Amino acid sequence: MIPIQKGCKDVLPAQSYAWQTLESLARRTAKKYGFREIRTPMFEATELFARGVGDTSDIVTKEMYTFNDKGGRSVTLRPEGTAGVARAFVENGLQGDVLPFKAYYIISAFRYERPQAGRLREFHQFGAELYGAESPAADAEVIALASNFLKSAKIKASLRLNSIGCAACREKYVAALREYFKPHLPEMCRDCNVRFEKNPLRMLDCKEEACARLRDGAPRITDYLCDDCRAHFEGVKEYLDGAGIAYTVDPRIVRGLDYYSRTVFEFVSDALGAQSAVLAGGRYDTLLEKMDSKPTPAVGFAAGLERLLMLRGESTPPPHITCYIAGMDAASRKKAFLLAEELRAAGVPCEADLMERSLKAQMRYADKLRAKYAIVLGERELAEEEADVKNMKTSAAERVNLRKLAQYFKGRKA
Ligand code: ATP
Ligand code: MG
């Protein structure tokens, strides 16, 4: 047997119900906020992510699945969803369309990471993007969408909020950060030494223990915000307060992607150990420009579906089928097949025997499927064109005309 690739997971039929439930909660919540689905390719030109996600991010420096295709082009399996959406927005001229542009996606994403609980190489994200609105109301709406989605999924996670300002406030802040980190460089990891030169903000997001320890004493970005960024951040907080969405301001949050500006946020759960962020996002007002769009403000988030499913735990799916139709002999089996087709045409999920099993074995199978009802067909049932419809839970049975079965099951579906 050739085993599955490291860091990948099968979703077996027994598990797909949990996925579908979570995905439909995501779709329903997105729809309430006027977001429609966007689907973009699973791979893009490598350059798109280098430019979009940022070439000092962990994703681009270490985690991308990049290869040359047969035409010698460098392509990359998407490590996240935003860059592709931004490309599609620009390439399809949607800047000239109705704004704000609101779109959501449910995708698989690929990162070459060390697999562990809550960290896979192929994983799934529900994400939402809102382009064209600079108002703090847009940040608040995206956060409200995220918060309501988590609430609908009964996931307890707390919201951490920060503002990392714009390029202007960051210039002063980065200078202060360099001053703070400089004497500590020898004790910090090699990556952080590189980050010190290229993008010191990244040093606040380092997962190495020695580096993370230094984070608490570092200067806080919130002390360096320019007037506009400060007012914007206050605006976001005001909207959230008004909407009754609880948050904690955490000046250490910078997020792992290079494109953020102003608002950044994470929903975290204590129940997940080290991989505690279940949903993360923020504002990225400069990303679309980098994609050769006219300047367009943007805000969005992405949630890791595997982590959310871990938090939701096991759930019992409803029965697969409404009705199982057993046949005692060859003629009844044939009739069972035809009846099943009729019921399916009427929208009733059902099954008939395909294994040529004994009646006892057929009923055991029906039990395993947790069919709500079972019908046994034999010589008598075929002659009378009537059969007992047995409720598998209560064992109560009702005699029903075989031609009226579809009607009988209306309103009795599993
Ligand atoms: P982390 O700090 O956990 O590495 P990140 O900063 O890389 O997260 P984002 O790129 O913002 O995360 O992705 C958003 C969400 O996607 C995360 O909060 C998480 O729930 C999920 N996620 C990210 N990487 C993985 C992965 N390798 N496996 C499973 N889920 C992931
Ligand atoms: Mg990561």
Side-chain angles (χ1 to χ4, degrees), residues 147-184:
S147 163
N148 278 310
F149 162 60
L150 294 174
K151 208 187 282 170
S152 74
K154 300 197 168 58
I155 283 161
K156 285 204 185 70
S158 44
L159 170 58
R160 309 239 175 99
L161 186 69
N162 191 23
S163 171
I164 57 170
C166 61
C169 13
R170 237 171 299 154
E171 206 178 290
K172 270 183 275 162
Y173 178 60
V174 162
L177 264 188
R178 282 213 172 96
E179 199 175 315
Y180 170 76
F181 279 125
K182 192 159 191 183
H184 297 291

Side-chain angles (χ1 to χ4, degrees), residues 3-22:
I4 193 170
Q5 290 292 294
K6 228 170 137 183
C8 295
K9 264 201 176 138
D10 297 312
V11 176
L12 300 174
Q15 299 151 348
S16 53
Y17 174 74
W19 281 84
Q20 289 170 355
T21 310
L22 189 62

Side-chain angles (χ1 to χ4, degrees), residues 82-124:
T82 298
V85 175
R87 180 203 46 71
F89 176 79
V90 178
E91 196 166 353
N92 293 286
L94 303 185
Q95 306 117 297
D97 225 356
V98 202
L99 293 179
F101 166 83
K102 291 176 166 189
Y104 78 89
Y105 55 79
I106 296 175
I107 57 166
S108 50
F110 306 84
R111 295 186 196 175
Y112 196 80
E113 301 203 67
R114 195 167 65 76
Q116 51 195 290
R119 208 177 275 299
L120 291 159
R121 290 184 172 175
E122 180 186 15
F123 65 102
H124 297 79

Side-chain angles (χ1 to χ4, degrees), residues 47-358:
E47 173 61 15
L48 179 78
F49 301 111
R51 238 209 267 176
V53 179
D55 50 15
T56 67
S57 66
D58 279 359
I59 293 180
V60 172
T61 52
K62 297 188 251 175
E63 300 170 356
M64 294 212 298
Y65 273 92
T66 298
F67 58 97
N68 287 328
D69 71 6
K70 290 198 195 325
R73 286 169 288 260
S74 178
V75 297
T76 294
L77 301 182
R78 64 177 165 217
E80 52 93 64
T82 298
V85 175
R87 180 203 46 71
F89 176 79
V90 178
E91 196 166 353
N92 293 286
L94 303 185
Q95 306 117 297
D97 225 356
V98 202
L99 293 179
F101 166 83
K102 291 176 166 189
Y104 78 89
Y105 55 79
I106 296 175
I107 57 166
S108 50
F110 306 84
R111 295 186 196 175
Y112 196 80
E113 301 203 67
R114 195 167 65 76
Q116 51 195 290
R119 208 177 275 299
L120 291 159
R121 290 184 172 175
E122 180 186 15
F123 65 102
H124 297 79
Q125 288 187 331
F126 160 48
E129 319 276 354
L130 193 159
Y131 298 167
E134 201 188 347
S135 161
D139 308 58
E141 185 172 292
V142 160
I143 293 172
L145 195 175
S147 163
N148 278 310
F149 162 60
L150 294 174
K151 208 187 282 170
S152 74
K154 300 197 168 58
I155 283 161
K156 285 204 185 70
S158 44
L159 170 58
R160 309 239 175 99
L161 186 69
N162 191 23
S163 171
I164 57 170
C166 61
C169 13
R170 237 171 299 154
E171 206 178 290
K172 270 183 275 162
Y173 178 60
V174 162
L177 264 188
R178 282 213 172 96
E179 199 175 315
Y180 170 76
F181 279 125
K182 192 159 191 183
H184 297 291
L185 280 178
E187 52 194 285
M188 297 186 81
C189 74
R190 197 167 348 136
D191 283 344
C192 275
N193 277 269
V194 176
R195 290 171 184 137
F196 181 83
E197 301 299 335
K198 284 194 171 169
N199 185 357
L201 214 60
R202 287 261 63 74
M203 299 171 84
L204 294 172
D205 200 38
C206 186
K207 310 243 168 15
E208 294 290 325
E209 221 188 307
C211 309
R213 233 182 293 126
L214 287 165
R215 201 165 46 195
D216 287 332
R220 303 184 155 207
I221 178 76
T222 33
D223 296 330
Y224 290 80
L225 296 182
C226 68
D227 289 347
D228 284 352
C229 287
R230 188 179 307 281
H232 193 273
F233 192 35
E234 289 308 313
V236 175
K237 290 192 277 185
E238 232 169 77
Y239 276 110
L240 292 178
D241 291 338
I245 296 171
Y247 58 86
T248 336
V249 173
D250 182 347
R252 291 168 313 178
I253 295 182
V254 294
R255 299 303 309 145
L257 292 79
D258 282 358
Y259 49 53
Y260 288 115
S261 54
R262 292 191 165 168
T263 314
V264 286
F265 60 91
E266 287 179 354
F267 282 87
V268 294
S269 160
D270 323 323
L272 279 176
Q275 272 66 55
S276 61
V278 292
L279 186 154
R283 182 168 274 286
Y284 35 93
D285 288 345
T286 56
L287 175 69
L288 283 147
E289 250 172 291
K290 277 192 208 146
M291 304 271 168
D292 303 320
S293 159
K294 64 178 178 203
T296 307
V299 54
F301 70 78
L305 296 186
E306 280 83 1
R307 291 186 198 173
L308 295 178
L309 287 165
M310 280 164 67
L311 285 173
R312 269 163 74 77
E314 299 282 314
S315 65
T316 316
H320 307 178
I321 55 168
T322 305
C323 178
Y324 182 81
I325 310 171
M328 304 223 283
D329 50 38
S332 319
R333 277 203 179 94
K334 244 181 219 159
K335 180 70 181 170
F337 176 90
L338 295 174
L339 270 181
E341 275 298 281
E342 266 175 47
L343 288 180
R344 291 162 185 158
V348 183
C350 59
E351 279 197 47
D353 178 49
L354 299 174
M355 304 288 288
E356 306 192 341
R357 286 185 173 124
S358 70

